[in-house]
Amino acid sequence: MTEQLTELFKTARELFRKDQFLPSFSVYKKILQDQSADDSTLALAFTEAGECLLNLQIWNEAEDYLRQALELDSFSANVHYLLGTILSKSARFAEAAAHFQTASKITPNNAEIKRSLGWALFMSGRPQTGEQYLMEAIEINPKNAFVYCDLAVLQMNKGDYQKAESLLREARKRSPDDPFVEDVILACRGMRKAWEEKVNSIKPRRLLKEKK
């Protein structure tokens, strides 16, 4: 990599760290236009430019950039992870799971990739396998509050609100006052209340039928 390209990467990454995603993306475009850039440099630039677009929530263009990165480097766990993240945002969970699976094979001890894979599998109709990966994510990093939230949602889907609430208490311990955790807790309470009201409305009907 030339000295000029090295400086451009440094500038782009500094802008990214400051959440200046659009200016950062503009610098990556300059790198991609540089005729001296080799395939590994281009793969890195496409990846990091795609991540800028992901943060800007420009999903389709982000996907295009990451797929170009994948053509140049199909063994990058980060590219597969980012592509899976974008596909999840578009509710294409089965496709996302395939990329998370590949990323997990490349870096098997990454808790965030395991968590993302577990969630994508759950959302694509494979809750049991999804739960297994979420449990693996907790084993790798028991401090990740979001894994507990994902598992709680899975338990809510099963109707086990007691277990869901226990998991959410663990999430709150690890990330107090986190808005996402608090939103999941509120959702759990709302779902449990609706379920209890439904059960209570059914009980009297059963009694009436028994008397008849």
PDB file of all heavy atoms in Angstrom, residues 63 67 80 83-85 87-88 90-102 117 120 124:
ATOM      1  N   GLU A  63     -25.049  -2.958   0.811  1.00  0.00           N
ATOM      2  CA  GLU A  63     -24.990  -4.358   0.382  1.00  0.00           C
ATOM      3  C   GLU A  63     -24.143  -4.499  -0.886  1.00  0.00           C
ATOM      4  O   GLU A  63     -23.336  -5.423  -1.004  1.00  0.00           O
ATOM      5  CB  GLU A  63     -26.397  -4.901   0.137  1.00  0.00           C
ATOM      6  CG  GLU A  63     -26.411  -6.362  -0.251  1.00  0.00           C
ATOM      7  CD  GLU A  63     -27.820  -6.910  -0.489  1.00  0.00           C
ATOM      8  OE1 GLU A  63     -28.804  -6.269  -0.077  1.00  0.00           O
ATOM      9  OE2 GLU A  63     -27.926  -7.990  -1.113  1.00  0.00           O
ATOM     10  N   ARG A  67     -20.776  -6.754  -1.127  1.00  0.00           N
ATOM     11  CA  ARG A  67     -20.697  -7.893  -2.058  1.00  0.00           C
ATOM     12  C   ARG A  67     -19.467  -7.762  -2.960  1.00  0.00           C
ATOM     13  O   ARG A  67     -18.862  -8.772  -3.348  1.00  0.00           O
ATOM     14  CB  ARG A  67     -21.982  -7.992  -2.876  1.00  0.00           C
ATOM     15  CG  ARG A  67     -23.174  -8.462  -2.048  1.00  0.00           C
ATOM     16  CD  ARG A  67     -24.303  -9.006  -2.867  1.00  0.00           C
ATOM     17  NE  ARG A  67     -25.446  -9.369  -2.052  1.00  0.00           N
ATOM     18  CZ  ARG A  67     -25.557 -10.511  -1.370  1.00  0.00           C
ATOM     19  NH1 ARG A  67     -24.572 -11.396  -1.414  1.00  0.00           N
ATOM     20  NH2 ARG A  67     -26.631 -10.762  -0.649  1.00  0.00           N
ATOM     21  N   HIS A  80     -18.595 -10.935   5.929  1.00  0.00           N
ATOM     22  CA  HIS A  80     -19.768 -11.801   6.095  1.00  0.00           C
ATOM     23  C   HIS A  80     -20.655 -11.295   7.231  1.00  0.00           C
ATOM     24  O   HIS A  80     -21.888 -11.302   7.111  1.00  0.00           O
ATOM     25  CB  HIS A  80     -19.325 -13.240   6.366  1.00  0.00           C
ATOM     26  CG  HIS A  80     -18.874 -13.966   5.140  1.00  0.00           C
ATOM     27  ND1 HIS A  80     -19.753 -14.410   4.162  1.00  0.00           N
ATOM     28  CD2 HIS A  80     -17.624 -14.327   4.720  1.00  0.00           C
ATOM     29  CE1 HIS A  80     -19.071 -15.013   3.203  1.00  0.00           C
ATOM     30  NE2 HIS A  80     -17.787 -14.974   3.516  1.00  0.00           N
ATOM     31  N   LEU A  83     -22.423  -8.054   6.068  1.00  0.00           N
ATOM     32  CA  LEU A  83     -23.437  -8.392   5.071  1.00  0.00           C
ATOM     33  C   LEU A  83     -24.640  -9.050   5.749  1.00  0.00           C
ATOM     34  O   LEU A  83     -25.800  -8.750   5.422  1.00  0.00           O
ATOM     35  CB  LEU A  83     -22.838  -9.312   4.009  1.00  0.00           C
ATOM     36  CG  LEU A  83     -23.624  -9.525   2.709  1.00  0.00           C
ATOM     37  CD1 LEU A  83     -24.067  -8.206   2.097  1.00  0.00           C
ATOM     38  CD2 LEU A  83     -22.779 -10.307   1.719  1.00  0.00           C
ATOM     39  N   GLY A  84     -24.369  -9.931   6.705  1.00  0.00           N
ATOM     40  CA  GLY A  84     -25.458 -10.539   7.472  1.00  0.00           C
ATOM     41  C   GLY A  84     -26.267  -9.507   8.234  1.00  0.00           C
ATOM     42  O   GLY A  84     -27.497  -9.593   8.314  1.00  0.00           O
ATOM     43  N   THR A  85     -25.580  -8.504   8.764  1.00  0.00           N
ATOM     44  CA  THR A  85     -26.264  -7.437   9.508  1.00  0.00           C
ATOM     45  C   THR A  85     -27.205  -6.660   8.602  1.00  0.00           C
ATOM     46  O   THR A  85     -28.353  -6.377   8.968  1.00  0.00           O
ATOM     47  CB  THR A  85     -25.219  -6.483  10.134  1.00  0.00           C
ATOM     48  OG1 THR A  85     -24.370  -7.227  11.013  1.00  0.00           O
ATOM     49  CG2 THR A  85     -25.906  -5.374  10.913  1.00  0.00           C
ATOM     50  N   LEU A  87     -28.558  -7.697   5.761  1.00  0.00           N
ATOM     51  CA  LEU A  87     -29.657  -8.576   5.354  1.00  0.00           C
ATOM     52  C   LEU A  87     -30.683  -8.728   6.473  1.00  0.00           C
ATOM     53  O   LEU A  87     -31.889  -8.802   6.222  1.00  0.00           O
ATOM     54  CB  LEU A  87     -29.106  -9.938   4.932  1.00  0.00           C
ATOM     55  CG  LEU A  87     -28.261  -9.935   3.652  1.00  0.00           C
ATOM     56  CD1 LEU A  87     -27.484 -11.236   3.507  1.00  0.00           C
ATOM     57  CD2 LEU A  87     -29.143  -9.691   2.432  1.00  0.00           C
ATOM     58  N   SER A  88     -30.213  -8.738   7.726  1.00  0.00           N
ATOM     59  CA  SER A  88     -31.133  -8.790   8.869  1.00  0.00           C
ATOM     60  C   SER A  88     -31.986  -7.524   8.924  1.00  0.00           C
ATOM     61  O   SER A  88     -33.175  -7.586   9.236  1.00  0.00           O
ATOM     62  CB  SER A  88     -30.352  -8.943  10.183  1.00  0.00           C
ATOM     63  OG  SER A  88     -29.755 -10.211  10.264  1.00  0.00           O
ATOM     64  N   SER A  90     -33.001  -5.893   6.535  1.00  0.00           N
ATOM     65  CA  SER A  90     -33.987  -6.006   5.458  1.00  0.00           C
ATOM     66  C   SER A  90     -34.922  -7.196   5.658  1.00  0.00           C
ATOM     67  O   SER A  90     -35.671  -7.554   4.747  1.00  0.00           O
ATOM     68  CB  SER A  90     -33.271  -6.137   4.106  1.00  0.00           C
ATOM     69  OG  SER A  90     -32.351  -5.091   3.916  1.00  0.00           O
ATOM     70  N   ALA A  91     -34.849  -7.803   6.857  1.00  0.00           N
ATOM     71  CA  ALA A  91     -35.684  -8.970   7.211  1.00  0.00           C
ATOM     72  C   ALA A  91     -35.440 -10.169   6.302  1.00  0.00           C
ATOM     73  O   ALA A  91     -36.306 -11.016   6.125  1.00  0.00           O
ATOM     74  CB  ALA A  91     -37.165  -8.594   7.218  1.00  0.00           C
ATOM     75  N   ARG A  92     -34.228 -10.267   5.734  1.00  0.00           N
ATOM     76  CA  ARG A  92     -33.854 -11.427   4.915  1.00  0.00           C
ATOM     77  C   ARG A  92     -33.021 -12.357   5.808  1.00  0.00           C
ATOM     78  O   ARG A  92     -31.828 -12.531   5.638  1.00  0.00           O
ATOM     79  CB  ARG A  92     -33.081 -10.960   3.685  1.00  0.00           C
ATOM     80  CG  ARG A  92     -33.962 -10.159   2.722  1.00  0.00           C
ATOM     81  CD  ARG A  92     -33.192  -9.153   1.884  1.00  0.00           C
ATOM     82  NE  ARG A  92     -32.251  -9.779   0.986  1.00  0.00           N
ATOM     83  CZ  ARG A  92     -31.358  -9.076   0.257  1.00  0.00           C
ATOM     84  NH1 ARG A  92     -31.339  -7.747   0.360  1.00  0.00           N
ATOM     85  NH2 ARG A  92     -30.526  -9.690  -0.551  1.00  0.00           N
ATOM     86  N   PHE A  93     -33.700 -12.921   6.802  1.00  0.00           N
ATOM     87  CA  PHE A  93     -32.999 -13.596   7.895  1.00  0.00           C
ATOM     88  C   PHE A  93     -32.325 -14.899   7.476  1.00  0.00           C
ATOM     89  O   PHE A  93     -31.266 -15.242   7.999  1.00  0.00           O
ATOM     90  CB  PHE A  93     -33.959 -13.825   9.063  1.00  0.00           C
ATOM     91  CG  PHE A  93     -34.408 -12.549   9.720  1.00  0.00           C
ATOM     92  CD1 PHE A  93     -35.708 -12.084   9.557  1.00  0.00           C
ATOM     93  CD2 PHE A  93     -33.525 -11.807  10.484  1.00  0.00           C
ATOM     94  CE1 PHE A  93     -36.120 -10.910  10.155  1.00  0.00           C
ATOM     95  CE2 PHE A  93     -33.923 -10.624  11.088  1.00  0.00           C
ATOM     96  CZ  PHE A  93     -35.231 -10.182  10.924  1.00  0.00           C
ATOM     97  N   ALA A  94     -32.929 -15.647   6.560  1.00  0.00           N
ATOM     98  CA  ALA A  94     -32.307 -16.899   6.115  1.00  0.00           C
ATOM     99  C   ALA A  94     -30.975 -16.615   5.407  1.00  0.00           C
ATOM    100  O   ALA A  94     -29.972 -17.298   5.646  1.00  0.00           O
ATOM    101  CB  ALA A  94     -33.252 -17.668   5.205  1.00  0.00           C
ATOM    102  N   GLU A  95     -30.962 -15.590   4.548  1.00  0.00           N
ATOM    103  CA  GLU A  95     -29.723 -15.187   3.877  1.00  0.00           C
ATOM    104  C   GLU A  95     -28.709 -14.681   4.887  1.00  0.00           C
ATOM    105  O   GLU A  95     -27.515 -14.989   4.805  1.00  0.00           O
ATOM    106  CB  GLU A  95     -29.998 -14.095   2.847  1.00  0.00           C
ATOM    107  CG  GLU A  95     -30.789 -14.519   1.631  1.00  0.00           C
ATOM    108  CD  GLU A  95     -31.030 -13.348   0.702  1.00  0.00           C
ATOM    109  OE1 GLU A  95     -30.057 -12.891   0.080  1.00  0.00           O
ATOM    110  OE2 GLU A  95     -32.183 -12.884   0.611  1.00  0.00           O
ATOM    111  N   ALA A  96     -29.189 -13.881   5.832  1.00  0.00           N
ATOM    112  CA  ALA A  96     -28.310 -13.339   6.869  1.00  0.00           C
ATOM    113  C   ALA A  96     -27.663 -14.453   7.669  1.00  0.00           C
ATOM    114  O   ALA A  96     -26.450 -14.430   7.948  1.00  0.00           O
ATOM    115  CB  ALA A  96     -29.104 -12.414   7.792  1.00  0.00           C
ATOM    116  N   ALA A  97     -28.464 -15.468   8.032  1.00  0.00           N
ATOM    117  CA  ALA A  97     -27.948 -16.586   8.830  1.00  0.00           C
ATOM    118  C   ALA A  97     -26.805 -17.298   8.108  1.00  0.00           C
ATOM    119  O   ALA A  97     -25.822 -17.717   8.735  1.00  0.00           O
ATOM    120  CB  ALA A  97     -29.075 -17.563   9.149  1.00  0.00           C
ATOM    121  N   ALA A  98     -26.918 -17.432   6.797  1.00  0.00           N
ATOM    122  CA  ALA A  98     -25.869 -18.110   6.019  1.00  0.00           C
ATOM    123  C   ALA A  98     -24.544 -17.347   6.125  1.00  0.00           C
ATOM    124  O   ALA A  98     -23.475 -17.949   6.279  1.00  0.00           O
ATOM    125  CB  ALA A  98     -26.297 -18.234   4.561  1.00  0.00           C
ATOM    126  N   HIS A  99     -24.616 -16.022   6.059  1.00  0.00           N
ATOM    127  CA  HIS A  99     -23.386 -15.217   6.173  1.00  0.00           C
ATOM    128  C   HIS A  99     -22.841 -15.223   7.601  1.00  0.00           C
ATOM    129  O   HIS A  99     -21.621 -15.307   7.808  1.00  0.00           O
ATOM    130  CB  HIS A  99     -23.645 -13.795   5.691  1.00  0.00           C
ATOM    131  CG  HIS A  99     -23.734 -13.682   4.200  1.00  0.00           C
ATOM    132  ND1 HIS A  99     -22.627 -13.755   3.374  1.00  0.00           N
ATOM    133  CD2 HIS A  99     -24.808 -13.537   3.384  1.00  0.00           C
ATOM    134  CE1 HIS A  99     -23.004 -13.648   2.111  1.00  0.00           C
ATOM    135  NE2 HIS A  99     -24.325 -13.512   2.089  1.00  0.00           N
ATOM    136  N   PHE A 100     -23.729 -15.138   8.586  1.00  0.00           N
ATOM    137  CA  PHE A 100     -23.272 -15.214   9.976  1.00  0.00           C
ATOM    138  C   PHE A 100     -22.634 -16.574  10.261  1.00  0.00           C
ATOM    139  O   PHE A 100     -21.669 -16.669  11.013  1.00  0.00           O
ATOM    140  CB  PHE A 100     -24.435 -14.969  10.942  1.00  0.00           C
ATOM    141  CG  PHE A 100     -24.928 -13.549  10.983  1.00  0.00           C
ATOM    142  CD1 PHE A 100     -26.295 -13.273  10.986  1.00  0.00           C
ATOM    143  CD2 PHE A 100     -24.044 -12.483  11.048  1.00  0.00           C
ATOM    144  CE1 PHE A 100     -26.767 -11.972  11.040  1.00  0.00           C
ATOM    145  CE2 PHE A 100     -24.503 -11.163  11.100  1.00  0.00           C
ATOM    146  CZ  PHE A 100     -25.866 -10.917  11.097  1.00  0.00           C
ATOM    147  N   GLN A 101     -23.205 -17.621   9.667  1.00  0.00           N
ATOM    148  CA  GLN A 101     -22.661 -18.972   9.839  1.00  0.00           C
ATOM    149  C   GLN A 101     -21.233 -19.036   9.301  1.00  0.00           C
ATOM    150  O   GLN A 101     -20.339 -19.599   9.952  1.00  0.00           O
ATOM    151  CB  GLN A 101     -23.536 -19.982   9.103  1.00  0.00           C
ATOM    152  CG  GLN A 101     -23.109 -21.430   9.282  1.00  0.00           C
ATOM    153  CD  GLN A 101     -23.621 -22.027  10.575  1.00  0.00           C
ATOM    154  OE1 GLN A 101     -24.821 -22.165  10.760  1.00  0.00           O
ATOM    155  NE2 GLN A 101     -22.712 -22.391  11.456  1.00  0.00           N
ATOM    156  N   THR A 102     -21.021 -18.467   8.123  1.00  0.00           N
ATOM    157  CA  THR A 102     -19.679 -18.453   7.539  1.00  0.00           C
ATOM    158  C   THR A 102     -18.725 -17.648   8.416  1.00  0.00           C
ATOM    159  O   THR A 102     -17.592 -18.079   8.680  1.00  0.00           O
ATOM    160  CB  THR A 102     -19.711 -17.857   6.120  1.00  0.00           C
ATOM    161  OG1 THR A 102     -20.602 -18.619   5.303  1.00  0.00           O
ATOM    162  CG2 THR A 102     -18.324 -17.860   5.490  1.00  0.00           C
ATOM    163  N   LEU A 117     -26.049 -14.664  14.674  1.00  0.00           N
ATOM    164  CA  LEU A 117     -26.456 -15.908  14.020  1.00  0.00           C
ATOM    165  C   LEU A 117     -27.663 -16.520  14.725  1.00  0.00           C
ATOM    166  O   LEU A 117     -28.624 -16.946  14.073  1.00  0.00           O
ATOM    167  CB  LEU A 117     -25.284 -16.900  14.003  1.00  0.00           C
ATOM    168  CG  LEU A 117     -25.575 -18.311  13.504  1.00  0.00           C
ATOM    169  CD1 LEU A 117     -26.154 -18.290  12.095  1.00  0.00           C
ATOM    170  CD2 LEU A 117     -24.307 -19.168  13.554  1.00  0.00           C
ATOM    171  N   ALA A 120     -30.786 -14.485  13.879  1.00  0.00           N
ATOM    172  CA  ALA A 120     -31.215 -14.677  12.491  1.00  0.00           C
ATOM    173  C   ALA A 120     -31.887 -16.035  12.310  1.00  0.00           C
ATOM    174  O   ALA A 120     -32.890 -16.156  11.600  1.00  0.00           O
ATOM    175  CB  ALA A 120     -30.019 -14.533  11.551  1.00  0.00           C
ATOM    176  N   SER A 124     -35.754 -16.728  11.297  1.00  0.00           N
ATOM    177  CA  SER A 124     -36.019 -17.453  10.048  1.00  0.00           C
ATOM    178  C   SER A 124     -36.738 -18.781  10.307  1.00  0.00           C
ATOM    179  O   SER A 124     -36.831 -19.627   9.418  1.00  0.00           O
ATOM    180  CB  SER A 124     -34.717 -17.692   9.276  1.00  0.00           C
ATOM    181  OG  SER A 124     -33.808 -18.456  10.041  1.00  0.00           O
TER     182      SER A 124
END
